[in-house]
């Protein structure tokens, strides 16, 4: 599974301060630590750290790719213009995080994905919000995928995200979100699109000391359904160990008695 | 999920000694500790603790049910005569653990299940051994279920166990075992039979310090596929916490901020 590291986000104090101070070393430390812990892609999100979101996105992208040329990055914003600003300067392989299935936004962002040869993550929500039913999530995923393919994107460059809701508030949808991943992987297209989740949302509102348990348990369930990638905190060791073990049990990593160490050595 | 406690087994030194000493208090302590940690059924296995396996099985059953009348028990042996000895004296609800799909054994044990109004656990293996393919496991499960129903047992009194093999030696079958659970729950009959696994076998041969991680990860994957019960060590707190969390995420327990405590209070 691809670990998309979530820590380079302006909502975290450390990153917010580094942005304010234009402290490249601190930004690069946040990146290096995530790579050490197994991140295969770095998500870059300005958050509310700066008034000039476009300029800040560009500075972050340039800062990271100068030190890590070729390392996969995700430009992350709900604003099209911030995503586009990041794409303009990004030389590394890049994922647009994210579009929705809203017609106007989808068309605009798929156009950018085609123009910049970027992968794109699509959230299965539209003008009507997040569907409560699994089949509606899959239908919105199909819409995103079909439009992407019509615009010349390969299905494997599309990451569909069924939009994880907190168990505390959307408990009856937790199974449906997993089943949406299964359907997307088996029923939409051959080759299938990729799947992704913003994992930590599952435990929003859960007492702090139990969030990791909820996150890693849900991640294992999603992996068993065919999940390809997740935006997570790579520093949560128990989460990553659970992921490695689930992949072992799915026969995606050859067994050895030191399978955790072997994985970390290969991916760190 | 029903936790079938595995600790009252003559292969453990403590139990072997208690059997040799005819120490009822120690046997009952082994039972009480498991109930405290959430076991909803106690598996009773003489193992190699005594030459007189039939007499020892009877003594264990009588010792436990005298203190815990009405508490579900599983009589566990590969020998029909040991199972029958236990059934003869058992007043509590009881599960026969186990039959296979071998014709002679299956007919004999289904007859005992009908006679003693016992539930029965069927392993999906036969004269040819354990099938390597998922569909063959399901087919043997179907054979056990059909014969049970022909003999008047209800489908819900049948527990089908796809026979968990160690990841170390049967890594390519780990997914198939999970998919067998899914098929058994969705494709065999309505109402469906129950499913069970002897969980710890998945980590046989795995270094000791990683066994719990492998066990609980696989349990979560099995639960997501519809697993009803597992023979496990209820004292493995991380295993039980993972199980509780998976059930929460499957909407089988109502969310509360103290969902672990709430579950343990209700089941301990």
């Amino acid at each position: 599974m691809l670990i998309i590291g979530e820590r380079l986000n302006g909502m975290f104090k450390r990153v917010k301060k580094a942005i304010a101070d234009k402290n490249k070393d601190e930004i690069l430390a946040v990146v290096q630590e995530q790579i050490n812990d197994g991140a295969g892609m770095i998500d870059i999100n300005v958050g509310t750290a700066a008034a000039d979101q476009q300029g800040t996105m560009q500075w972050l992208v340039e800062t990271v790719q100068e030190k890590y040329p070729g390392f996969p990055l995700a430009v992350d914003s709900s604003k099209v213009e911030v995503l586009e600003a990041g794409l303009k300067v990004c030389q590394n392989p890049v994922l647009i995080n994210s579009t929705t299935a809203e017609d106007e936004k989808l068309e605009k962002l798929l156009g950018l994905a085609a123009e910049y040869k970027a992968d794109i993550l699509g959230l299965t929500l539209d003008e009507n919000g997040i569907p409560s039913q699994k089949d509606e999530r899959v239908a919105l995923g199909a819409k995103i995928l079909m439009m992407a393919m019509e615009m010349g994107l390969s299905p494997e460059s599309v990451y569909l995200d069924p939009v994880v809701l907190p168990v505390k508030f959307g408990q009856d949808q937790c199974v449906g979100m997993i089943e949406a991943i299964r359907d997307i992987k088996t029923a939409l297209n051959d080759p299938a699109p990729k799947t992704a989740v913003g994992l930590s949302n599952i435990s929003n509102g859960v007492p702090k000391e139990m969030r990791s348990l909820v996150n890693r348990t849900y991640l294992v369930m999603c992996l068993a359904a065919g999940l390809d990638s997740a935006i997570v905190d790579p520093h949560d060791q128990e989460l990553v160990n659970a992921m490695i073990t689930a992949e072992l049990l799915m026969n995606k990593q050859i067994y050895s008695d030191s399978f955790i160490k072997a994985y970390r050595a290969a991916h760190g």
Side-chain angles (χ1 to χ4, degrees), chain A residues 70-188:
Chain A
F71 197 86
L73 306 178
V75 291
D76 184 357
S77 175
S78 58
K79 295 181 184 165
V80 175
E81 59 274 20
V82 177
L83 294 171
E84 188 168 11
L87 291 170
K88 274 184 185 158
V89 297
C90 193
Q91 307 295 322
N92 287 22
V94 63
L95 172 70
I96 297 172
N97 183 14
S98 56
T99 183
T100 66
E102 295 163 288
D103 290 320
E104 196 181 339
K105 184 166 193 176
L106 182 57
E107 197 176 333
K108 175 80 178 155
L109 284 171
L110 289 176
L112 289 177
E115 183 181 347
Y116 290 97
K117 300 191 190 315
D119 291 352
I120 186 161
L121 187 149
L123 300 166
T124 62
L125 62 89
D126 67 4
E127 294 83 355
N128 302 310
I130 302 167
S132 63
Q133 299 302 309
K134 182 260 288 182
D135 286 347
E136 296 167 8
R137 281 187 162 92
V138 176
L140 290 179
K143 174 184 173 181
I144 294 168
L145 177 64
M146 292 310 126
M147 277 193 64
M149 290 169 70
E150 280 170 20
M151 292 181 71
L153 299 177
S154 84
E156 289 153 304
S157 68
V158 178
Y159 289 67
L160 296 176
D161 179 332
V163 191
V164 169
L165 297 177
V167 60
K168 182 164 183 169
F169 306 110
Q171 192 180 3
D172 60 335
Q173 295 184 46
C174 294
V175 168
M177 297 178 299
I178 295 170
E179 292 307 315
I181 292 169
R182 187 184 310 279
D183 285 4
I184 287 167
K185 290 307 291 183
T186 56
L188 280 199

Side-chain angles (χ1 to χ4, degrees), chain A residues 211-233:
Chain A
R211 288 198 65 172
S212 173
L213 172 65
V214 171
N215 289 346
R216 66 180 178 262
T217 304
Y218 199 63
L219 181 63
V220 168
M221 297 166 86
C222 290
L223 281 167
L227 185 71
D228 298 292
S229 63
I231 303 164
V232 300
D233 177 2

